Amino acid sequence: MKCIFEGARVKVFGRAVHALSRISDEFWLDPLSKGLALRSVNSSHSAYACFLFPPLFFQSYHPISGLSQDATDGKCKLAVKSLLPLFRCVPTADRSEEMCQISTSPQDNRVVFKLACKHGIIKTYKLAFRECEVLQAVFPAHQCPNVLKAQASLLGDMVMHFPVSQEEVTLSVSPKRVMLRNYCEDKMDQMKAMSTELSLQPEEFDCFQVAVSSDITFCLKELRGVLSFAESHGLPVSMHFGCPGKPVCFSVEDVSLEVTVVLSTLTDPSQTTEPEVPPAPSCDVSMTLHHGSAVENLTEHVTHALLNGEQVPSSQGSSIFSGLDYLGRVASLRVASIDPGDSNAEGCWTLDPGSQTTPKVKFLAEDSVQPL
């Protein structure tokens, strides 16, 4: 692989390296037919970033090295700390570099950076690399229900109000507003830390599409990197996200580059599945009364069950059932004891078959009870 870029694009490339340093200590240099990709994944695989520089970005771009016909040849894994000294002053001042050339030497496992500076000075850096497969995040951004797009300066002004030590922030969106606040997992830390909350109206965004109201929590460190890069070049930032637990994607697109940062979000512990309602117990037809009068116990049971009941009309056209009327009829019944051994007691209902003193009653009429 061999590529050359000149002028202000040297600064753009250097800012991309600084943004990747916020993701991980290592990154991949991946030469593709569609451009040179710089990728980075953190150790926990919760953050992914990709800076794609198309062939239009370069003065000269040759992804295939030597006689190899494999366009994916030359995937290099480099340490960020070995590359940062080359572009140390990029964010602060104008650089003296006029041209940068990057080439790979698979035989020596080296990536050569050659910088042509003013006054004819040429700096050459040879960095060791490991050839390995590239990790890539697969994120269908077009399937996300919520899309926000704003100028990087607007989002940068929001982020600057949080301290550098703040690790995570929560973004709350609804059809009426967008709110960003600090996140504290421990309740004791919430009592000690200062609460910061910022709110924006929908008209402040270039694109505001919120189909699902949600609160997502993600890391702030990785977000600062992409915002700093986009703000330095005056590019808007797009956000694609959905419910908590699903990734959020920050993207920056321009004619000369494409930036994609995918961050994982915390799951919402309050969104748990509702417990299944146990089925109602089946009605037991038999009822055992142990002590006291049968009328007193039956009256107490009916009072508890029917006193607050509603009057429900019958679907068959019969009279309306009233718990209070039925309670009055039961209370007026007369119960008489009989001999349990009487053979003429047909059609009787035994309230307690295990007891020899429990009476048996037979309903002969609607409002009267006669002993058997």
Side-chain angles (χ1 to χ4, degrees):
M1 186 270 296
K2 183 179 180 180
C3 61
I4 299 175
F5 47 96
E6 300 176 346
R9 296 184 178 181
V10 178
K11 183 185 297 185
V12 175
F13 189 87
R15 291 184 184 274
V17 174
H18 278 268
L20 289 174
S21 65
R22 296 177 179 267
I23 303 294
S24 176
D25 296 334
E26 298 177 326
F27 77 100
W28 282 266
L29 197 66
D30 188 10
L32 303 172
S33 58
K34 61 180 180 180
L36 180 63
L38 275 64
R39 308 180 193 270
S40 182
V41 181
N42 65 353
S43 58
S44 60
H45 292 181
S46 61
Y48 165 84
C50 176
F51 286 74
L52 178 62
F53 299 96
L56 183 62
F57 179 83
F58 303 94
Q59 189 75 17
S60 174
Y61 178 70
H62 302 283
I64 303 176
S65 59
L67 299 178
S68 176
Q69 299 299 320
D70 186 4
T72 62
D73 181 37
K75 297 175 181 177
C76 310
K77 187 175 183 180
L78 298 170
V80 175
K81 63 180 181 180
S82 62
L83 191 59
L84 284 178
L86 279 70
F87 307 97
R88 185 182 302 276
C89 302
V90 168
T92 57
D94 188 16
R95 294 296 305 229
S96 62
E97 286 80 3
E98 297 178 349
M99 185 270 293
C100 179
Q101 175 182 313
I102 304 176
S103 59
T104 59
S105 177
Q107 294 81 10
D108 300 333
N109 290 338
R110 292 286 190 273
V111 178
V112 180
F113 289 83
K114 185 179 291 187
L115 299 174
C117 306
K118 295 179 179 180
H119 310 293
I121 299 175
I122 297 178
K123 300 178 182 179
T124 303
Y125 300 86
K126 296 182 179 181
L127 307 178
F129 72 86
R130 288 187 301 160
E131 185 174 354
C132 59
E133 292 297 325
V134 180
L135 295 177
Q136 183 175 357
V138 179
F139 181 77
H142 63 280
Q143 297 181 1
C144 293
N146 300 331
V147 179
L148 302 178
K149 185 176 181 180
Q151 294 298 319
S153 57
L154 175 64
L155 300 179
D157 292 340
M158 296 182 65
V159 170
M160 67 177 297
H161 291 283
F162 296 95
V164 180
S165 59
Q166 181 66 41
E167 296 182 357
E168 297 169 329
V169 291
T170 299
L171 178 69
S172 302
V173 296
S174 66
K176 295 184 178 180
R177 67 172 181 172
V178 175
M179 186 165 45
L180 189 68
R181 63 180 182 273
N182 59 330
Y183 174 80
C184 295
E185 184 177 3
D186 192 356
K187 293 184 177 180
M188 296 300 297
D189 294 339
Q190 294 180 1
M191 301 296 296
K192 299 178 182 178
M194 180 180 65
S195 178
T196 304
E197 187 174 292
L198 303 173
S199 179
L200 292 177
Q201 300 300 321
E203 53 270 14
E204 300 186 53
F205 292 85
D206 298 339
C207 177
F208 187 86
Q209 176 185 328
V210 177
V212 179
S213 299
S214 61
D215 299 340
I216 57 173
T217 302
F218 50 88
C219 291
L220 184 59
K221 178 183 177 181
E222 291 80 0
L223 178 60
R224 292 182 188 273
V226 65
L227 291 181
S228 176
F229 177 85
E231 188 174 0
S232 62
H233 300 289
L235 299 175
V237 179
S238 300
M239 301 174 54
H240 297 77
F241 59 97
C243 60
K246 300 294 184 179
V248 54
C249 177
F250 298 88
S251 61
V252 178
E253 294 184 1
D254 192 34
V255 178
S256 59
L257 61 91
E258 295 180 9
V259 182
T260 303
V261 177
V262 181
L263 306 178
S264 62
T265 62
L266 297 180
T267 57
D268 189 358
S270 62
Q271 294 183 355
T272 56
T273 56
E274 296 182 0
E276 296 183 358
V277 179
S282 58
C283 223
D284 190 3
V285 182
S286 61
M287 179 174 59
T288 304
L289 305 177
H290 292 285
H291 301 286
S293 169
V295 174
E296 294 175 356
N297 291 329
L298 185 60
T299 302
E300 180 181 357
H301 176 77
V302 175
T303 303
H304 177 73
L306 301 177
L307 187 58
N308 297 323
E310 298 180 357
Q311 294 184 353
V312 183
S314 172
S315 61
Q316 305 298 326
S318 59
S319 58
I320 297 178
F321 171 79
S322 175
L324 295 177
D325 294 341
Y326 180 70
L327 178 62
R329 294 183 181 182
V330 173
S332 63
L333 298 180
R334 298 188 305 273
V335 181
S337 300
I338 64 169
D339 185 4
D342 190 354
S343 60
N344 295 325
E346 296 180 357
C348 297
W349 177 21
T350 304
L351 299 180
D352 189 357
S355 176
Q356 298 298 328
T357 59
T358 303
K360 296 180 181 180
V361 295
K362 180 179 180 181
F363 292 90
L364 300 180
E366 183 179 6
D367 293 331
S368 64
V369 175
Q370 296 182 2
L372 298 177

